[in-house]
Amino acid sequence: MALKLHNTLTGTKDLFEPLEPGHAGMYTCGPTVWNFAHVGNLRAFLFYDLLRRHLQVVGYRVNHVMNVTDIDDRILDQAMHAGTTIGDYVKPYLSAFFEDMATLRAQAAEHYPRATEHIGDMVAMISALLEHGHAYIAEGDVYFRIASFPAYGALSRLDRTGLRAGTRVAADKYDKESVSDFALWKKAQPGDEQLGAAWDAPFGRGRPGWHIECSAMSKRYLGDTFDIHCGGIDLMFPHHENEIAQSEAANHQPFARVWLHSEHLAEAGGEKMSKSAGGFTTLRDLVAGGHDPLAVRFFLMANAHYRARIRLSNDALYAAAEQVRRLRDFAGRVRRSAPGPSEDQALVQRVAAVRAGYREALDDDLNLPQGIGLVFELIREANAALDEGRVGERGHSELLALMDEVDAHVDVIGADEPGLADEVERLIAEREAARAARDFARADRLRDELRERGIALEDSKEGVRWKRIRVGTE
Ligand code: AMP
Ligand code: ZN
């Protein structure tokens, strides 16, 4: 196991060594469900998907925790305007998040803790911070005392010289320049009760600040110290600095050992996509505009390294769709073609070298674009070899193994083609009609046509069923 990951804490690519052999615990900052996720958020979520998939490929059992922020300033604001509770307000956006993740074929995390369901854990942690002098109460709110945590700022290499003790900020998201004591708990405001956003605590009725949830929920599901923490680069400061300060001050243990930060997705114009800035694109917008979700997935995951910025554009999505098509066509062609009589040994070796190179690229800080580049070069050569009947048993099985390895990350090759089911059902109905009209020649032709596309039909009592097959095997 020689996986290297770029750790923001050390600033270098380090060999990944988990706390417990064979296990990898990861905490990833998830969605704030005040609205639909935009494509920038989805880039971060698909980066988490790439990481968890590769950890599994390397052989780890993964315990992935992705929090859901279902209470923050924006949610309160929106729920108040909508005249509803925060619980009812977030419901459709929470469902939309899970739908989007399924549409994009992201593997499910092991846990999706919601902030409002872990208030007790947050209250316990805030109590510990108060007890040890890392927090104080001011006008009913509780703040973290940054001056009490000398390591503050290590992750983002913050210059602490301008740090003025005692400056406070109550807003969940705030000016990136200000290093301030941040709110752990906010005193209940008159409207909070109707919004369902107030809880009892020894330090007064109120609601949590945004940062404390990640410290409390990572502790609950992964313990005080765990392997990997991920988020988008915008969260490094202050959110992740605050998480480290809260957790290490409360637990007296190191927090996450490896920090990974994914870069931004920019709008076509070049600005970072952000909901607060107004212009943002959702997955639903892209699909309504005719884009294939598999192309969106491939673009976000494989177009650039996770630490490089990318820019969303129609052209980039069309190019990704074309790459997906080439991967699928090639894999389909290999699957359907029977191994040829002769074996080109040089090709066999080439495929083995590409398999090793692909794996090395992924082990090198998840360099999927580099790995995919090797695969596309090989596809050209392998297509020529298939044309010339130079792919024998070995070459054939090496190629199939490579495509499976690629699909373990990208997961677009074996995925059912969007619209395939409808198309197959239509052909089955045509065949039934032909049989009813006793036009058996036509019925057989339709069955053969489906078989050529890798679909076999089975007549059963409930009607005709279909399944995928490898051509030449049945
Ligand atoms: P939020 O829902 O705002 O809490 O963000 C969820 C995730 O999306 C976090 O990991 C953010 O860092 C990430 N994120 C937000 N905006 C962008 C963007 N434009 N590009 C990439 N990731 C983003
Ligand atoms: Zn977080």
Side-chain angles (χ1 to χ4, degrees), residues 11 31 69 76 159 168 172 196 198 216 224 230 235 238 266 284 302 335 352-353 359 362 450 457:
T69 301
L76 260 79
D159 179 3
R168 301 196 303 260
D172 282 337
D224 292 349
C230 307
L235 298 186
R284 285 131 209 273
R335 242 186 278 123
R359 174 59 189 267
L362 270 293
L450 283 164
L457 301 183

Side-chain angles (χ1 to χ4, degrees), residues 279-339:
F280 70 90
T281 310
T282 66
L283 178 60
R284 285 131 209 273
D285 296 333
L286 294 180
V287 171
H291 291 292
D292 174 355
L294 294 184
V296 178
R297 175 179 170 85
F298 196 82
F299 165 69
L300 292 174
M301 194 184 254
N303 185 266
H305 187 260
Y306 75 88
R307 299 206 301 125
R309 264 183 168 244
I310 51 173
R311 200 177 274 213
L312 181 69
S313 71
N314 280 324
D315 284 349
L317 290 172
Y318 293 135
E322 177 58 21
Q323 289 186 305
V324 170
R325 193 190 58 74
R326 276 166 61 204
L327 285 174
R328 294 172 65 105
D329 283 357
F330 178 72
R333 179 173 187 198
V334 178
R335 242 186 278 123
R336 280 193 293 273
S337 62

Side-chain angles (χ1 to χ4, degrees), residues 67-383:
N67 70 304
V68 174
T69 301
D70 58 356
I71 175 166
D72 83 335
D73 292 348
R74 291 172 298 183
I75 293 172
L76 260 79
D77 221 47
Q78 299 288 325
M80 195 173 69
H81 285 297
T84 179
T85 61
I86 56 168
D88 280 340
Y89 176 77
V90 302
K91 259 185 211 152
Y93 300 114
L94 188 66
S95 315
F97 162 70
F98 287 114
E99 277 166 29
D100 287 352
M101 296 302 277
T103 306
L104 289 174
R105 304 183 68 77
Q107 281 185 351
E110 279 63 33
H111 302 279
Y112 291 101
R114 291 176 61 166
T116 56
E117 291 169 3
H118 295 78
I119 302 291
D121 290 330
M122 298 185 226
V123 167
M125 192 171 255
I126 297 169
S127 298
L129 291 170
L130 279 165
E131 205 174 298
H132 295 112
H134 290 293
Y136 58 92
I137 301 176
E139 288 152 37
D141 299 330
V142 185
Y143 290 90
F144 185 90
R145 180 180 282 124
I146 289 199
S148 77
F149 190 75
Y152 190 87
L155 183 72
S156 55
R157 289 165 183 71
L158 191 75
D159 179 3
R160 287 169 54 98
T161 47
L163 195 154
R164 281 183 299 134
T167 336
R168 301 196 303 260
V169 59
D172 282 337
K173 303 223 169 176
Y174 45 88
D175 177 13
K176 302 275 181 218
E177 305 311 314
S178 61
V179 181
S180 321
D181 289 354
F182 54 91
L184 297 166
W185 190 257
K186 305 179 189 194
K187 171 177 77 178
Q189 299 298 319
D192 290 356
E193 302 290 344
Q194 289 93 297
L195 295 174
W199 290 266
D200 283 325
F203 32 83
R205 196 166 167 78
R207 64 178 174 97
W210 170 44
H211 309 288
I212 192 71
E213 69 180 74
C214 291
S215 285
M217 299 195 293
S218 60
K219 180 182 171 79
R220 157 80 42 197
Y221 294 94
L222 297 169
D224 292 349
T225 307
F226 57 91
D227 296 311
I228 305 175
H229 194 311
C230 307
I233 188 89
D234 58 310
L235 298 186
M236 181 165 64
F237 175 78
H239 180 58
H240 290 159
E241 294 286 8
N242 293 354
E243 283 188 37
I244 295 171
Q246 295 165 148
S247 294
E248 298 196 348
N251 302 331
H252 306 290
Q253 294 295 330
F255 189 45
R257 288 153 50 104
V258 180
W259 285 84
L260 303 184
H261 288 102
S262 53
E263 254 299 344
H264 279 142
L265 171 107
E267 292 279 9
E271 321 83 63
K272 174 199 160 200
M273 186 175 291
S274 112
K275 278 177 280 205
S276 331
F280 70 90
T281 310
T282 66
L283 178 60
R284 285 131 209 273
D285 296 333
L286 294 180
V287 171
H291 291 292
D292 174 355
L294 294 184
V296 178
R297 175 179 170 85
F298 196 82
F299 165 69
L300 292 174
M301 194 184 254
N303 185 266
H305 187 260
Y306 75 88
R307 299 206 301 125
R309 264 183 168 244
I310 51 173
R311 200 177 274 213
L312 181 69
S313 71
N314 280 324
D315 284 349
L317 290 172
Y318 293 135
E322 177 58 21
Q323 289 186 305
V324 170
R325 193 190 58 74
R326 276 166 61 204
L327 285 174
R328 294 172 65 105
D329 283 357
F330 178 72
R333 179 173 187 198
V334 178
R335 242 186 278 123
R336 280 193 293 273
S337 62
S342 72
E343 185 89 83
D344 178 343
Q345 291 303 334
L347 182 82
V348 172
Q349 277 165 23
R350 261 289 283 154
V351 188
V354 169
R355 284 180 68 189
Y358 177 81
R359 174 59 189 267
E360 263 170 48
L362 270 293
D363 279 348
D364 181 14
D365 197 28
L366 310 172
N367 202 336
L368 181 61
Q370 184 179 319
I372 289 291
L374 298 176
V375 173
F376 277 121
E377 270 170 45
L378 177 72
I379 286 180
R380 240 172 286 130
E381 296 163 34
N383 267 325

